[in-house]
Amino acid sequence: MSFFSFGQSAEIDVVLTDAETRKKAEHKTEDGKKDKYFLFYDGETVAGKVNVTLKNPGKRLEHQGIKIEFVGQIELYYDRGNHHEFVSLVKDLARPGELTQSQTFDFEFTHVEKPYESYTGQNVKLRYFLRATVSRRLNDISKEMDIVVHTLSTYPELNSSIKMEVGIEDCLHIEFEYNKSKYHLKDVIVGKIYFLLVRIKIKHMEIDIIKRETTGTGPSVYHENDTIAKYEIMDGAPVRGESIPIRLFLAGYEMTPTMRDINKKFSVRYYLNLVLIDEEERRYFKQQEITLWRKGDVVRKSMSSQATIGAQRFEGSVSLESSSVSSMLDLKCRA
């Protein structure tokens, strides 16, 4: 870099105004590791300083302008050449000229809209970052700083229970019930399973939480299923009239709020998967979608508008249609 800049270059550092007091949140990177980033919410102001430090004091640095950007973008891994920006704000910090000494520039993006939650998945990444750039004729000098955004929701006004009868005609008849259809990320799933008819020998039953990530549109749609949790309900044969309670704590699992049709690029949905295994290792299952939402630790007044937006975004009805006894379970035993 020093060769092209005739002996002078610079280092850029971005420092937030409230860096000492702002909360940080863990977020998974593409390689599966976890790092901590400054945490923001929708509508919050992003402010700080850009420090441009000359590497060789005494030598001038010519530039075509200095700017800082706040960017929210979606990157589909199968289309890495195209970054889809849904937020793009720019502030000019200096006009074209030259720097003869290190300098600090203040910036402020007021009440920035951050409509979606930060997300790193199997095929897609949604990120927010600040990018400071010293523009030059041959090679720009830039520095990026990622932040994490969480979307908060208010308690759903409609949160009906899930109650379904499932089974195989003349062989198995089960009724299961979950206390509600929408859960916050630290909630508890409470339910019961009733055995009304048991004529096959069941040896094991469990509930799985499945995350389904959908990317793309039309013929280029990709689905990735990931089993987040497995909860053993029963190990042994049930009898008619028996009921089994369910109590599944969500706080111990890594999940995001339900994300539906984010910028028309991807969705993330969650399902409860009831699995039964008989003594001949045949599997029977039934899936039911649930909605997950993020509950704020402390809801501030400034967050009220953001929370309303979040509630509207993540609120959605869960289909509670009951199937007939003869068609309620998808049978893999016939394969």
Side-chain angles (χ1 to χ4, degrees), residues 114-134:
K114 312 174 199 72
Y116 310 123
E117 175 122 351
S118 298
Y119 177 74
T120 302
Q122 298 289 333
N123 290 316
V124 64
K125 177 170 66 176
L126 188 153
R127 62 186 285 242
Y128 295 86
F129 60 93
L130 289 162
R131 179 169 57 211
T133 304
V134 177

Side-chain angles (χ1 to χ4, degrees), residues 13 51 59 89-90 108-109 191 250 258 285 287 299 306 327:
D13 190 27
N51 300 319
K59 292 185 179 181
L89 304 175
V90 182
E108 180 177 273
F109 295 100
L250 301 180
T258 295
F285 65 88
Q287 283 190 359
V299 180
Q306 185 277 334
S327 62

Side-chain angles (χ1 to χ4, degrees), residues 273-331:
N273 191 35
L274 179 65
V275 181
L276 291 79
I277 304 174
D278 66 15
E279 290 187 344
E280 297 180 10
E281 299 298 328
R282 291 178 296 192
R283 298 171 66 89
Y284 313 90
F285 65 88
K286 179 67 179 179
Q287 283 190 359
Q288 178 64 49
E289 184 178 359
I290 59 173
T291 299
L292 298 183
W293 54 282
R294 185 181 298 280
K295 180 181 179 181
D297 295 329
V298 178
V299 180
R300 293 173 291 175
K301 289 183 179 179
S302 60
M303 291 291 101
S304 59
S305 61
Q306 185 277 334
T308 302
I309 294 172
Q312 293 172 348
R313 181 173 297 117
F314 296 113
E315 188 169 325
S317 60
V318 176
S319 174
L320 302 181
E321 294 179 359
S322 296
S323 305
S324 64
V325 176
S326 61
S327 62
M328 287 182 246
L329 278 175
D330 300 317
L331 280 154

Side-chain angles (χ1 to χ4, degrees), residues 44-46 67-72 85-92 107-114 128-132:
E44 282 194 300
T45 294
V46 182
K67 65 180 179 180
I68 186 163
E69 303 164 86
F70 181 87
V71 180
E85 295 185 356
F86 55 88
V87 176
S88 181
L89 304 175
V90 182
K91 285 194 178 294
D92 292 322
F107 70 88
E108 180 177 273
F109 295 100
T110 307
H111 305 310
V112 183
E113 180 184 5
K114 312 174 199 72
Y128 295 86
F129 60 93
L130 289 162
R131 179 169 57 211

Side-chain angles (χ1 to χ4, degrees), residues 23-271:
K23 184 179 178 180
K24 289 188 174 182
E26 281 192 345
H27 190 72
K28 187 174 68 173
T29 58
E30 281 188 54
D31 56 8
K33 296 180 181 179
K34 288 183 180 178
D35 287 329
K36 285 192 172 183
Y37 301 92
F38 288 108
L39 176 62
F40 284 84
Y41 299 98
D42 186 20
E44 282 194 300
T45 294
V46 182
K49 299 179 183 294
V50 174
N51 300 319
V52 181
T53 305
L54 299 183
K55 289 185 176 180
N56 300 307
K59 292 185 179 181
R60 66 181 185 176
L61 175 69
E62 294 183 357
H63 62 86
Q64 305 300 311
I66 301 173
K67 65 180 179 180
I68 186 163
E69 303 164 86
F70 181 87
V71 180
Q73 73 177 22
I74 297 172
E75 179 183 341
L76 299 170
Y77 295 161
Y78 60 81
D79 187 21
R80 286 185 179 269
N82 295 318
H83 294 164
H84 307 278
E85 295 185 356
F86 55 88
V87 176
S88 181
L89 304 175
V90 182
K91 285 194 178 294
D92 292 322
L93 304 178
R95 295 180 178 180
E98 60 181 40
L99 294 179
T100 57
Q101 60 183 6
S102 299
Q103 197 166 342
T104 297
F105 303 91
D106 295 325
F107 70 88
E108 180 177 273
F109 295 100
T110 307
H111 305 310
V112 183
E113 180 184 5
K114 312 174 199 72
Y116 310 123
E117 175 122 351
S118 298
Y119 177 74
T120 302
Q122 298 289 333
N123 290 316
V124 64
K125 177 170 66 176
L126 188 153
R127 62 186 285 242
Y128 295 86
F129 60 93
L130 289 162
R131 179 169 57 211
T133 304
V134 177
S135 301
R136 310 185 67 192
R137 289 183 178 178
L138 295 177
N139 56 324
D140 294 344
I141 306 170
S142 64
K143 177 69 176 291
E144 292 184 357
M145 185 182 78
D146 281 78
I147 66 169
V148 163
V149 170
H150 283 175
T151 54
L152 301 181
S153 300
T154 54
Y155 192 86
E157 292 183 5
L158 298 176
N159 199 358
S160 55
S161 61
I162 300 174
K163 186 175 182 180
M164 297 183 71
E165 293 184 4
V166 300
I168 308 165
E169 190 173 11
D170 296 330
C171 295
L172 182 66
H173 189 180
I174 298 173
E175 183 179 278
F176 68 87
E177 183 176 3
Y178 303 119
N179 60 330
K180 49 191 176 183
S181 56
K182 301 170 186 176
Y183 300 87
H184 62 77
L185 297 181
K186 296 182 180 180
D187 215 335
V188 182
I189 296 176
V190 178
K192 271 192 175 183
I193 296 179
Y194 304 91
F195 291 89
L196 307 178
L197 176 65
V198 183
R199 289 181 179 171
I200 58 176
K201 295 182 179 179
I202 299 173
K203 71 171 185 178
H204 180 78
M205 180 185 292
E206 68 183 27
I207 284 185
D208 304 337
I209 300 177
I210 296 176
K211 181 180 81 171
R212 179 171 299 158
E213 176 188 292
T214 303
T215 55
T217 57
S220 302
V221 175
Y222 298 87
H223 298 285
E224 288 286 347
N225 289 342
D226 185 16
T227 301
I228 303 295
K230 286 181 177 288
Y231 176 75
E232 184 179 81
I233 300 174
M234 178 197 70
D235 188 11
V239 296
R240 180 180 178 181
E242 187 174 0
S243 67
I244 299 175
I246 300 170
R247 196 171 184 86
L248 178 57
F249 293 84
L250 301 180
Y253 303 106
E254 294 181 15
M255 294 186 290
T256 66
T258 295
M259 307 171 80
R260 292 189 174 93
D261 197 21
I262 299 301
N263 207 44
K264 298 183 179 180
K265 300 298 179 186
F266 73 97
S267 298
V268 179
R269 299 171 183 265
Y270 292 88
Y271 297 84

